[in-house]
Amino acid sequence: MLAPIVHVLGARPNFVKAAPVISALAAAGAEQAVIHTGQHYDARMSEVFFDQLGLPEPDVNLGVGSGGHAEQTAALMIGLEKEFTGRSPALVIVYGDVNSTIAAALVAAKLHIPVAHVEAGLRSFDMTMPEEVNRRVTDQLSALCLVTSPEAIGHLAAEGVPVERAHLVGNPMIDTLLANLDQFDTAAVRAAHGLPERYVLATMHRPANVDAPETAAALVRHLHGVADLADLVIPVHPRGRANLLAAGLDEHDRVHILEPLGYIDFIAAVRGAAAVVTDSGGLQEETTILGVPCLTVRPNTERPITITHGTNRLVAFEELVPGVRKCLEGGSASGTAAAPGARAGGRRPPLWDGHAGPRIADVIMEYLGE
């Protein structure tokens, strides 16, 4: 039996990025296995994505669940070491920057199994972000750094990653988005959840925004200010839910709190929004392609290409309400006129064309062939 390529998936963004890669490798005849770490254990945050994206059922679910960084990463490493030892993979593929990503890279490196990192080279240059630590260490341990945007090549070179390890392949998250465009039915989502025709959609889960009660309370005050301008729809992530509700998030008549949505319904809701307020990384990319103004509540982003090519802008709490007001008045997130044809999928970042999955498969199959 051929040694398999093992995909390690742990959280919503991993599933969305992995689907086109797994499909393309299957078409190339690769033997594959999927390990679901269970880092996102709520069915609405994980299992539903397998159903909707055509991902194969995981070969194993480690069921790690939540916990502190040390506790969760340690549990991931213990479970993954057993799986890798038993499966002897030819290559381990990791995605993004979650704890499952760094745990798999560390275990594989110590077992002398090569690692391919999809979405390598992204940098916020903010080491207070756990994701930044995960990204940097994973790239140092990876035999293949599969890059989604051009500036990431320079970041890797500056950190001493040999140029032959870095490959600009495009963004597989956009493959999934473009492949499902016809399924994003905004009217159906509005009807299912009793939403108005015009709304702002928000997602908030970053520790810096939701973990401290006083910060969560300040955020809620500004979100209520947004709701004064337009109905605010917010699918509440399990992380931060208690703090946001304790701060009174639901105490405004125009705030619509939803449970986490599956991929199809969530992107349909994004597609129909007048604007998006978020601290997510992937959503900055998805709104860039959909042409929806995006205000990212962070001091930095590891995805600057969404600002230069897209509709994204970084904002502080106090900039939220005026930023949303500009969007509602018909401008972009930056306050300028919306790009012509943006919602029809106008100018896109390089290689965000729906074919990243096959390019990734080509790089991997050539590497394994060598």
Side-chain angles (χ1 to χ4, degrees):
M1 179 177 174
L2 294 174
I5 295 169
V6 171
H7 304 261
V8 177
L9 312 178
R12 170 198 179 270
N14 297 167
F15 312 137
V16 179
K17 295 162 193 167
V21 178
I22 292 172
S23 176
L25 284 169
E31 182 76 21
Q32 301 181 82
V34 175
I35 296 176
H36 184 347
T37 67
Q39 181 176 332
H40 274 178
Y41 50 90
D42 187 309
R44 291 161 300 194
M45 300 294 287
S46 60
E47 277 81 357
V48 67
F49 290 90
F50 283 84
D51 296 336
Q52 294 185 347
L53 301 179
L55 284 162
E57 282 296 311
D59 293 87
V60 64
N61 188 327
L62 299 181
V64 167
S66 60
H69 284 289
E71 177 187 8
Q72 187 182 65
T73 306
L76 287 162
M77 291 179 70
I78 291 168
L80 289 167
E81 184 176 58
K82 291 178 181 176
E83 289 297 323
F84 293 173
T85 301
R87 296 175 188 278
S88 299
L91 179 75
V92 169
I93 304 181
V94 298
Y95 298 82
D97 52 25
V98 298
N99 284 344
S100 296
T101 304
I102 183 61
L106 283 166
V107 171
K110 293 197 173 191
L111 292 174
H112 309 294
I113 300 166
V115 174
H117 183 202
V118 175
E119 208 177 62
L122 298 186
R123 297 291 181 268
S124 67
F125 301 100
D126 180 358
M127 290 298 284
T128 68
M129 293 177 63
E131 297 90 348
E132 181 74 359
V133 177
N134 292 347
R135 286 189 285 263
R136 287 174 177 261
V137 176
T138 298
D139 285 340
Q140 289 297 322
L141 298 174
S142 295
L144 293 175
C145 291
L146 302 165
V147 174
T148 58
S149 57
E151 75 280 0
I153 296 284
H155 298 157
L156 292 170
E159 293 168 14
V161 174
V163 65
E164 63 270 16
R165 280 166 46 190
H167 303 266
L168 180 61
V169 291
N171 192 334
M173 179 175 273
I174 303 308
D175 289 23
T176 299
L177 179 72
L178 296 176
N180 288 281
L181 272 180
D182 292 344
Q183 297 189 62
F184 301 140
D185 187 341
T186 299
V189 172
R190 285 204 309 262
H193 297 282
L195 305 179
E197 186 166 341
R198 194 182 199 211
Y199 59 87
V200 174
L201 184 136
T203 70
M204 289 289 157
H205 73 280
R206 295 276 175 187
N209 286 334
V210 303
D211 276 12
E214 60 274 17
T215 306
L219 174 60
V220 165
R221 287 196 300 273
H222 290 284
L223 290 175
H224 283 177
V226 172
D228 289 338
L229 301 175
D231 286 75
L232 182 70
V233 176
I234 179 164
V236 180
H237 192 286
R239 179 180 188 86
R241 182 183 183 92
N243 280 349
L244 291 173
L245 292 180
L249 177 62
D250 56 347
E251 296 172 8
H252 192 295
D253 291 343
R254 297 178 76 182
V255 171
H256 306 258
I257 295 179
L258 307 182
E259 294 298 322
L261 299 173
Y263 177 74
I264 299 297
D265 284 353
F266 178 70
I267 300 299
V270 171
R271 190 181 198 181
V276 165
V277 172
T278 190
D279 56 12
S280 162
L283 194 46
Q284 297 173 53
E285 298 177 337
E286 289 158 334
T287 51
T288 289
I289 296 302
L290 294 171
V292 177
C294 180
L295 298 170
T296 298
V297 189
R298 287 171 47 185
N300 50 57
T301 179
E302 65 284 351
R303 294 166 167 88
I305 200 166
T306 65
I307 296 173
T308 56
H309 276 74
T311 56
N312 185 29
R313 181 162 74 95
L314 301 178
V315 295
F317 285 1
E318 59 272 14
E319 296 173 293
L320 259 183
V321 172
V324 168
R325 183 180 290 111
K326 288 180 181 178
C327 295
L328 295 175
E329 290 170 352
S332 68
S334 63
T336 59
R343 286 182 183 265
R347 193 166 65 102
R348 297 172 182 162
L351 301 185
W352 289 23
D353 56 3
H355 302 290
R359 282 190 289 267
I360 290 170
D362 288 345
V363 171
I364 286 170
M365 295 304 285
E366 182 178 354
Y367 173 81
L368 293 177
E370 293 172 353

